[in-house]
Amino acid sequence: MISDTNLPVKGIDTHAHIFRTDLPMAAERRYAPDYNAVPEDFLTHLTGHNISHGVLVQPSFLGTDNRFMVQALRQYPQQLKGIAVVEPTIGDLELDELDTAGVVGIRLNLIKKTLEDYTSPLWQTFLSKLAKRKWVVEIQREIDDLTRFLPAILESGVEVIVDHFGRTLDGIQVSNPAHQDFLDLLSSGAPIWTKVSAAYRCNANLEQAKEMLAILRSAYGHSDYFLWGSDWPNTQFEAQTNYKEQYDFMEALLPSMDERNKVLVINPSKLFKF
């Protein structure tokens, strides 16, 4: 187990979830686990793979009840930071409490969801509060319509993370106008980070993931906005993969030690201020 002291950053896993089956579950969840994933298990995985720090992402099935994650952030403040799920009506006091606990952003899990009007006063006011705190907005959504709403979110001044290669099931296709629009947005220099993680959620093998990585790298012109996460405990895919397999996949995806150091250390240290 890693001791909770000021650790030098050896690597940052930017995407993992913790939960227990006895926690209150969101009413409109698509899935609920039948096992526990606790912070100590996650930290054990980090230790076993020479990774020093992690970012916890609030799972959608726990809704806006971030208490279990916040408890872990307070227990391991030097090692863990968090991405919360909140309502846009949240007040400044609660945002400040989350900020103090180690929350560094919010997640919008938009898979199979109707899009909100992110240009509305409600959302722009909320997003400006996040920008003021230098929080990020992490988005899980299929690549096909990201450019319909990303500009409105970026307008507020926040930086954006796109989860899991843009959750495409057919690869990133430069011949697809919607995909090219997204690549053009990356080329524009907009502050959009991409998690080159959980390729299994895109039905992609290693070679397909390498192709997607190359297309994204070409659009950015560099590797300065790539992040990696194990997606532990790989919810809904537990029987297909595990932490070690995802770590090994990352090593094969990023054979260049310079690029791997960027993705595991330099980029997330900058974004999440470890």
Side-chain angles (χ1 to χ4, degrees):
M1 185 68 63
I2 303 172
S3 62
D4 198 36
T5 57
N6 287 311
L7 294 164
V9 176
K10 295 186 292 186
I12 302 170
D13 179 343
T14 70
H15 200 107
H17 308 288
I18 59 169
F19 46 82
R20 290 198 320 258
T21 57
D22 61 347
L23 295 172
M25 297 285 168
E28 297 182 0
R29 63 188 182 274
R30 293 183 292 118
Y31 161 85
D34 60 1
Y35 61 93
N36 295 333
V38 297
E40 290 73 22
D41 293 337
F42 176 51
L43 293 174
T44 297
H45 285 303
L46 297 188
T47 303
H49 294 84
N50 201 34
I51 296 177
S52 54
H53 298 74
V55 180
L56 301 175
V57 179
Q58 172 78 346
S60 59
F61 49 80
L62 292 184
T64 58
D65 185 349
N66 299 283
R67 288 177 296 177
F68 187 59
M69 181 184 72
V70 166
Q71 180 183 353
L73 301 182
R74 288 175 172 153
Q75 190 172 0
Y76 302 100
Q78 301 301 324
Q79 296 161 246
L80 300 178
K81 296 197 176 182
I83 301 290
V85 173
V86 303
E87 296 290 347
T89 52
I90 189 173
D92 282 295
L93 182 59
E94 190 175 350
L95 284 173
D96 288 341
E97 288 174 350
L98 290 171
D99 188 78
T100 300
V103 170
V104 290
I106 65 116
R107 190 190 202 199
L108 299 176
N109 189 341
L110 304 177
I111 297 292
K112 303 187 188 310
K113 296 278 185 70
T114 300
L115 293 173
E116 302 277 350
D117 178 8
Y118 299 107
T119 65
S120 69
L122 169 66
W123 276 96
Q124 285 297 308
T125 298
F126 167 60
L127 292 168
S128 68
K129 290 179 179 181
L130 305 184
K132 177 182 175 184
R133 291 168 174 81
K134 301 192 183 309
W135 283 19
V136 298
V137 174
E138 181 166 331
I139 295 169
Q140 180 165 224
R141 177 78 173 187
E142 295 88 348
I143 193 174
D144 302 276
D145 63 357
L146 283 175
T147 55
R148 281 181 51 198
F149 64 93
L150 278 187
I153 292 177
L154 291 165
E155 185 70 24
S156 68
V158 298
E159 299 194 35
V160 165
I161 300 171
V162 172
D163 276 350
H164 308 328
F165 290 98
R167 286 299 300 263
T168 174
L169 292 177
D170 299 302
I172 299 174
Q173 303 167 7
V174 295
S175 60
N176 182 320
H179 293 199
Q180 188 59 56
D181 286 345
F182 175 65
L183 297 172
D184 289 344
L185 194 56
L186 301 185
S187 299
S188 75
I192 301 171
W193 304 72
T194 302
K195 286 189 177 174
V196 290
S197 57
Y200 60 88
R201 295 193 187 272
C202 303
N203 288 340
N205 60 28
L206 179 60
E207 290 309 309
Q208 291 166 323
K210 285 183 175 180
E211 290 174 11
M212 293 193 292
L213 178 68
I215 291 169
L216 291 167
R217 188 192 296 116
S218 178
Y220 280 119
H222 50 69
S223 303
D224 298 350
Y225 281 86
F226 290 142
L227 305 166
W228 174 79
S230 62
D231 198 29
W232 182 85
N234 319 109
T235 54
Q236 301 184 69
F237 290 83
E238 300 91 344
Q240 293 177 225
T241 191
N242 55 44
Y243 199 102
K244 182 182 185 304
E245 286 186 5
Q246 288 308 299
Y247 185 86
D248 292 347
F249 191 98
M250 175 277 297
E251 288 192 314
L253 180 67
L254 303 169
S256 162
M257 293 306 294
D258 285 343
E259 185 170 51
R260 190 185 304 173
N261 187 57
K262 275 190 175 183
V263 176
L264 289 185
V265 178
I266 297 173
N267 299 350
S269 293
K270 175 184 175 184
L271 179 62
F272 296 118
K273 301 171 184 62
F274 278 105

